[in-house]
């Protein structure tokens, strides 16, 4: 029986499909959803950190600018989650959300385990070969390391890079 569904979302076009599949599953099973957004440098909106080298040349104003931009990035992520949660609540779905920063592969598995999820819904960008090796495959990692079942929503490679939510 599926009672808790963890949904990993980002602001890509393909994430809309992941969200819609999760909504359908939650409606069919009367399950509770948890939306998970992970702040990562791979998202187009992520600010570029000042470059720290052996001889720190970063000016305090550069670091302060980065901090302000990162706070804006975090807020935008939370607005994105609130937007999705309103859509789900309109359909009568119980929902909670969280936003964390770090390695998506590991965080998805940790949250699923700690929240006792019965199912993880995650997207796949369709990377193959060298691209998968260098950029990694979140869905592949989650499939092999999650403590519950995983539902993978396949996406076209072109649509995965286009921002869907602003």
């Amino acid at each position: 029986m599926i009672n808790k569904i963890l949904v990993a979302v980002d602001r890509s076009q393909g994430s809309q499909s992941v969200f819609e599949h999760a909504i359908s599953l939650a409606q069919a099973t009367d399950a509770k959803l948890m939306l998970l957004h992970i702040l990562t440098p791979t998202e187009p909106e992520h600010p570029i950190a000042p470059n720290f080298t052996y001889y720190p040349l970063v000016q305090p104003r550069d670091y302060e600018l980065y901090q302000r931009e990162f706070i804006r990035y975090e807020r935008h992520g939370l607005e994105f989650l609130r937007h999705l949660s309103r859509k789900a609540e309109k359909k009568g779905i119980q929902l909670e959300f969280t936003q964390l920063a770090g390695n998506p592969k590991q965080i998805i598995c940790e949250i699923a385990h700690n929240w006792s999820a019965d199912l993880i819904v995650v997207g796949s960008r369709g990377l193959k070969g060298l691209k998968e090796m260098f950029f990694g495959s979140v869905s592949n990692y989650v499939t092999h390391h999650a403590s519950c079942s995983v539902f993978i929503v396949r996406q076209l490679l072109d649509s995965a890079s286009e921002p869907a939510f602003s």
Side-chain angles (χ1 to χ4, degrees), residues 11-113:
R11 288 188 288 256
S12 69
Q13 185 68 34
S15 192
Q16 179 65 32
S17 181
V18 171
F19 178 70
E20 295 298 330
H21 277 82
I23 292 291
S24 294
L25 288 166
Q27 287 176 317
T29 61
D30 198 30
K32 182 176 182 179
L33 291 182
M34 176 185 282
L35 297 178
L36 172 62
H37 179 242
I38 302 168
L39 303 170
T40 67
T42 59
E43 279 193 307
E45 196 178 302
H46 193 283
I48 298 172
N51 188 13
F52 291 100
T53 60
Y54 183 73
Y55 298 103
L57 301 173
V58 176
Q59 300 296 320
R61 72 175 190 274
D62 294 336
Y63 186 69
E64 289 168 9
L65 174 63
Y66 170 75
Q67 286 180 312
R68 283 195 306 271
E69 287 297 309
F70 193 83
I71 289 168
R72 185 189 63 76
Y73 172 60
E74 283 180 311
R75 286 183 184 148
H76 195 220
L78 289 172
E79 289 170 15
F80 162 68
L81 288 170
R82 286 185 195 106
H83 169 74
L84 292 180
S85 67
R86 284 190 296 271
K87 287 174 75 172
E89 288 169 354
K90 284 180 184 176
K91 296 186 179 200
I93 296 170
Q94 290 184 355
L95 178 125
E96 60 185 278
F97 62 81
T98 189
Q99 176 173 269
L100 301 168
N103 183 329
K105 300 171 185 179
Q106 295 169 338
I107 291 174
I108 291 168
C109 291
E110 277 180 40
I111 295 294
H113 177 75

